[in-house]
Amino acid sequence: MIKLNAVEKVFRRKKRPAVTAVSNINLTIEKGEIFGIIGYSGAGKSTLLRMINQLEKPTSGTVTVGNVDFTTLRGKQLRQARQKIGMIFQHFNLLWSRTAAENISLPLEVANVPKAERDAKVAELIKLVGLEGREDAYPAQLSGGQKQRVGIARALANNPSILLCDEATSALDPKTTDSILQLLLDINKRLGLTIVLITHEFDVIRKICKKVAVMENGSIVEQGNVQQIFHQPRHQATKSFVKGTELEVISK
Ligand SMILES: Nc1ncnc2c1ncn2[C@@H]1O[C@H](COP(=O)(O)OP(=O)(O)OP(=O)(O)O)[C@@H](O)[C@H]1O
Ligand SMILES: [Mg+2]
């Protein structure tokens, strides 16, 4: 479904040394899978995730989604292809002057969906993420968990087949984190959505991911099945992430 082949990203900056944020990444993410990427700050996780929807162009290598080489797409073709990939963020990135329903409606407006269809889709999404009764609230009137539910509904508006999550639960308390992870798991099961999530907490990985890749200094240092890596971490970075996680699991 998603295939990264020898992907590299170098940021070149004026009068300062270039930064290799991601180097020689080879990764295959299967359709319908929840795939976790874990690493410390600066490991290159966000850069890697942003290359999947081409918010960052790789310096070299290819990113294929379905059978399409995303690295070759430009302009309208890229915008259309991108509609199949939703994204959510640590700080939600909602528009503060719009209500929950209006935030969710935004991508539908951009895609020129007629008003009646838009309203029906927004109502369906509000229900899917459990925000009934809060449609007309502004982000400032919502809790962190509710804001992320708006973010998730907005990301799903154009019926994507992939959802990218950049530290989507890092600003939330443990209980709210669990409820958002449960929602992601529900959506994955109900809609068959492929989810790629990045985090610096192994607990998040362990609770909902099937597979994990561990990143350090722009490279993947270890990857595989979560249970196997949890029980037999090999790389030092993996060991330190695994250490200290508890042994309770949300049903998979
Ligand atoms: N636009 C940019 N210009 C220059 N350097 C960048 C840019 N974006 C990222 N970097 C550098 O690339 C490296 C990887 O950054 P990235 O944001 O991908 O890491 P991360 O794993 O997501 O970290 P965090 O957990 O803090 O979000 C870092 O050294 C960062 O400073
Ligand atoms: Mg990041």
Side-chain angles (χ1 to χ4, degrees), residues 44-205:
K45 307 180 295 296
S46 295
T47 306
L48 180 63
L49 200 70
R50 290 162 61 82
M51 286 194 284
I52 295 177
N53 59 3
Q54 300 291 300
L55 285 178
E56 297 286 0
K57 287 266 169 215
T59 309
S60 59
T62 57
V63 177
T64 47
V65 178
N67 288 321
V68 181
D69 180 355
F70 260 48
T71 42
T72 61
L73 301 179
R74 299 282 182 279
K76 194 175 168 206
Q77 272 185 321
L78 177 58
R79 280 197 299 278
Q80 268 174 358
R82 240 186 219 148
Q83 287 196 348
K84 288 287 138 208
I85 309 182
M87 189 164 186
I88 57 172
F89 308 88
Q90 178 173 3
H91 297 294
F92 324 118
N93 293 12
L94 302 179
L95 291 181
W96 290 75
S97 59
R98 283 186 164 230
T99 64
E102 288 165 352
N103 265 286
I104 299 167
S105 173
L106 190 64
L108 299 167
E109 290 166 33
V110 172
N112 290 319
V113 174
K115 169 109 173 70
E117 213 177 299
R118 247 168 29 218
D119 290 349
K121 184 69 187 176
V122 170
E124 177 195 319
L125 288 163
I126 288 269
K127 204 162 161 219
L128 180 75
V129 300
L131 279 178
E132 295 107 317
R134 304 299 280 143
E135 299 80 344
D136 298 326
Y138 287 90
Q141 300 167 321
L142 297 172
S143 69
Q146 289 170 332
K147 284 195 270 263
Q148 195 55 289
R149 285 172 193 269
V150 176
I152 292 170
R154 181 185 56 183
L156 297 179
N158 284 314
N159 302 315
S161 48
I162 298 168
L163 180 66
L164 307 178
C165 312
D166 191 342
E167 302 273 3
T169 57
S170 297
L172 306 174
D173 64 53
K175 209 169 142 214
T176 310
T177 292
D178 280 357
S179 75
I180 293 295
L181 294 179
Q182 188 65 59
L183 175 62
L184 292 176
L185 202 55
D186 279 355
I187 294 167
N188 162 260
K189 284 202 178 135
R190 265 207 252 174
L191 310 177
L193 199 72
T194 305
I195 299 181
V196 187
L197 69 84
I198 62 182
T199 180
H200 56 268
E201 289 175 79
F202 199 80
D203 237 15
V204 167
I205 301 278

